[in-house]
């Protein structure tokens, strides 16, 4: 599918997700699919598979400095070498085998949200994670500090069937002819000190998740980051099985998934992002081609000039496989997942399938540039 044609489907119903007209939106194809996570598991294997957009050289040891050296970005603004990633979706067939669900790309929104209209650009080295890989039920009790909405509202889903679609807290509907859109809101309030903390305490959500105020503990307002990721759930021949995310120990046949997660590692040229936010985050025209700071590095052919790179590891992640990559055990909710169901014991790597025993590729070396294939 051509990515610009795809975005017609991705954006169906976006005006009904509560998004205002004050934002700019970046279209992305995918850059990498591997069991790596340079934020949570730097230098080694992650507990589960992620699908990445952005910098072509993403690897397990990526840093702000290394991302800037990427040959290209799979997103349309080439001055943005950031890395954006989310878990991969699989379908577990009735015979127990798992099949990768096609991912048709991502839209990344930078929104002018919150009561403070002077927004701070993401600083070099800034990293952030939103969502909870262990959550398996919607939690009404945990409320945003100073707000009214549950923290669980940070992630929602929309089943696209050719008409505006209502957001759902769970992925209960999976017969979606135009795809299932996963939506992730990120924290927009920063403590102004730490570029990253493993518990994400360096950031906090706006009081209304995607609107409102920052708490006194996190007084620095950031641009509001929001992902839309499209999964081709109707590209799968369903046979009475169930959908599971790569991190998900949740059995969707008994409990619809209610949380996922997204990760972001900043790779912007600082002056370009600063001017883009200043001139375009509060614009009524979301098209990046009309945002002057972005025009010099726009690549309308981004999906062709910066194609997806081969996986960094030999563990099978594509097609049909006999188990989820890593050591994921599919169990039922609604209680949170146990660490033993999401991670490998005693340092095991959770190698999957016939290729799992031969893991010769390094996870820390930048992968080769594949643009010469085009």
């Amino acid at each position: 599918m051509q990515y610009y044609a795809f975005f017609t489907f991705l954006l169906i119903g976006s005006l009904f997700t509560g998004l205002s007209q004050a934002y700019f939106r970046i279209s992305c194809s995918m850059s990498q699919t591997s069991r790596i996570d340079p934020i949570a598991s730097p230098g080694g294997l992650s507990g589960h598979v992620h699908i990445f957009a952005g910098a072509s050289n993403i690897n397990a040891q990526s840093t702000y400095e290394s991302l800037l050296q990427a040959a290209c970005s799979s997103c349309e603004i080439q001055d943005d070498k950031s890395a954006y990633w989310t878990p991969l979706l699989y379908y577990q067939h009735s015979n127990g085998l798992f099949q990768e669900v096609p991912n048709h790309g991502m839209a990344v929104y930078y929104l002018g949200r919150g009561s403070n209209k002077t927004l701070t650009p993401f600083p070099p080295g800034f990293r952030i994670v939103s969502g909870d890989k262990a959550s398996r039920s919607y939690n009404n009790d945990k409320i945003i500090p100073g707000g009214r909405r549950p923290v669980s509202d940070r992630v929602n889903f929309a089943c696209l069937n050719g008409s505006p679609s209502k957001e759902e807290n769970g992925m209960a509907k999976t017969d979606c002819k135009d795809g299932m859109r996963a939506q992730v809101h990120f924290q927009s309030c920063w403590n102004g000190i730490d570029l990253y903390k493993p518990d994400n305490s360096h950031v906090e959500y706006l009081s209304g998740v995607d609107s409102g105020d920052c708490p006194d503990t996190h007084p620095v307002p950031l641009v509001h980051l929001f992902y839309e990721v499209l999964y081709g759930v109707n590209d799968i021949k369903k046979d009475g099985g169930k959908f599971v995310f790569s991190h998900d120990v949740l059995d969707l046949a008994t409990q619809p998934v209610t949380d996922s997660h997204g990760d972001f590692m900043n790779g912007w040229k600082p002056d370009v992002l600063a001017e883009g936010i200043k001139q375009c985050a509060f614009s009524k025209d979301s098209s990046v081609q009309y945002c002057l700071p972005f025009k010099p590095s726009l690549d309308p052919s981004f999906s062709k000039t910066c194609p997806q790179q081969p996986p960094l590891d030999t563990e099978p992640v594509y097609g049909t496989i006999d188990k989820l990559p890593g050591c994921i055990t599919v169990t039922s909710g609604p209680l949170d997942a146990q660490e033993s169901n999401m991670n490998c014991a005693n340092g095991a790597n959770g190698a999957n399938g016939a290729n799992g025993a031969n893991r010769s590729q390094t996870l820390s070396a930048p992968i080769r540039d594949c643009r010469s294939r085009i």
Side-chain angles (χ1 to χ4, degrees), residues 239-318:
D239 58 6
K242 59 217 175 201
F243 288 96
V244 294
F245 276 113
S246 59
H247 69 281
D248 223 330
V249 296
L250 177 61
D251 181 343
L252 294 183
T254 59
Q255 179 80 23
V257 65
T258 53
D259 209 343
S260 183
H261 62 279
D263 300 61
F264 168 74
M265 180 177 281
N266 181 29
W268 278 92
K269 288 186 176 179
D271 57 337
V272 175
L273 177 59
E275 283 302 310
I277 291 174
K278 181 179 178 181
Q279 297 185 34
C280 307
F282 295 96
S283 171
K284 291 185 177 180
D285 193 330
S286 63
S287 301
V288 291
Q289 61 261 37
Y290 299 119
C291 185
L292 291 179
F294 301 149
K295 291 185 75 172
S297 73
L298 276 180
D299 179 6
S301 302
F302 59 94
S303 64
K304 293 182 178 180
T305 58
C306 199
Q308 184 168 181
Q309 304 286 317
L312 288 171
D313 186 45
T314 55
E315 180 180 18
V317 296
Y318 295 126

Side-chain angles (χ1 to χ4, degrees), residues 22-358:
Y23 61 87
F24 60 85
R25 182 184 62 242
I26 304 172
S27 301
C28 300
S29 57
M30 310 320 296
S31 61
Q32 175 65 247
T33 303
S34 288
R35 189 156 68 93
I36 60 170
D37 187 330
I39 293 180
S41 304
L45 285 166
S46 170
H48 55 273
V49 176
H50 293 102
I51 188 159
F52 294 80
S56 60
N57 66 347
I58 186 70
N59 63 78
Q61 287 189 342
S62 288
T63 64
Y64 173 75
E65 291 75 17
S66 70
L67 293 180
L68 291 181
Q69 301 304 312
C72 61
S73 172
S74 71
C75 300
E76 57 188 324
I77 301 174
Q78 294 303 299
D79 281 340
D80 174 22
K81 295 299 193 336
S82 300
Y84 308 92
W85 67 94
T86 58
L88 188 60
L89 186 65
Y90 288 92
Y91 183 78
Q92 186 177 19
H93 288 277
S94 57
N95 63 3
L97 296 179
F98 294 86
Q99 182 180 355
E100 163 211 7
V101 178
N103 181 294
H104 295 311
M106 174 187 290
V108 179
Y109 292 75
Y110 285 73
L111 298 104
R113 289 296 179 88
S115 57
N116 192 327
K117 303 306 179 185
T118 302
L119 302 179
T120 299
F122 299 127
F126 185 78
R127 290 153 289 166
I128 188 172
V129 179
S130 181
D132 183 356
K133 66 178 182 179
S135 176
R136 294 182 295 169
S137 63
Y138 184 81
N139 187 346
N140 280 307
D141 298 327
K142 188 176 180 181
I143 304 299
I144 299 291
R148 301 170 303 280
R149 294 180 65 180
V151 176
S152 290
D153 284 349
R154 62 195 167 187
V155 175
N156 49 56
F157 303 87
C159 182
L160 306 183
N161 279 309
S163 60
S165 302
K166 181 182 178 181
E167 307 176 331
E168 303 285 349
N169 293 121
M171 195 175 123
K173 300 175 183 177
T174 56
D175 183 13
C176 315
K177 70 182 183 68
D178 294 325
M180 167 64 67
R181 191 174 65 209
Q183 305 170 162
V184 182
H185 289 280
F186 283 78
Q187 304 92 321
S188 301
C189 306
W190 179 38
N191 66 9
I193 301 171
D194 301 291
L195 297 176
Y196 175 68
K197 298 188 78 172
D199 62 356
N200 275 280
S201 59
H202 64 306
V203 288
E204 186 54 85
Y205 295 94
L206 289 167
S207 58
V209 181
D210 61 346
S211 62
D213 303 311
C214 285
D216 293 340
T217 55
H218 297 75
V220 181
L222 303 169
V223 67
H224 185 75
L225 192 64
F226 175 74
Y227 292 175
E228 288 183 335
V229 186
L230 191 68
Y231 299 98
V233 291
N234 278 26
D235 295 340
I236 297 293
K237 186 176 181 180
K238 306 180 185 78
D239 58 6
K242 59 217 175 201
F243 288 96
V244 294
F245 276 113
S246 59
H247 69 281
D248 223 330
V249 296
L250 177 61
D251 181 343
L252 294 183
T254 59
Q255 179 80 23
V257 65
T258 53
D259 209 343
S260 183
H261 62 279
D263 300 61
F264 168 74
M265 180 177 281
N266 181 29
W268 278 92
K269 288 186 176 179
D271 57 337
V272 175
L273 177 59
E275 283 302 310
I277 291 174
K278 181 179 178 181
Q279 297 185 34
C280 307
F282 295 96
S283 171
K284 291 185 177 180
D285 193 330
S286 63
S287 301
V288 291
Q289 61 261 37
Y290 299 119
C291 185
L292 291 179
F294 301 149
K295 291 185 75 172
S297 73
L298 276 180
D299 179 6
S301 302
F302 59 94
S303 64
K304 293 182 178 180
T305 58
C306 199
Q308 184 168 181
Q309 304 286 317
L312 288 171
D313 186 45
T314 55
E315 180 180 18
V317 296
Y318 295 126
T320 300
I321 53 182
D322 58 9
K323 64 183 287 292
L324 289 177
C327 299
I328 305 298
T329 302
V330 179
T331 59
S332 298
L335 297 178
D336 283 358
Q338 300 297 309
E339 283 296 320
S340 59
N341 289 329
M342 296 186 291
N343 293 291
C344 301
N346 301 321
N349 58 34
N352 182 358
N355 293 332
N358 179 19

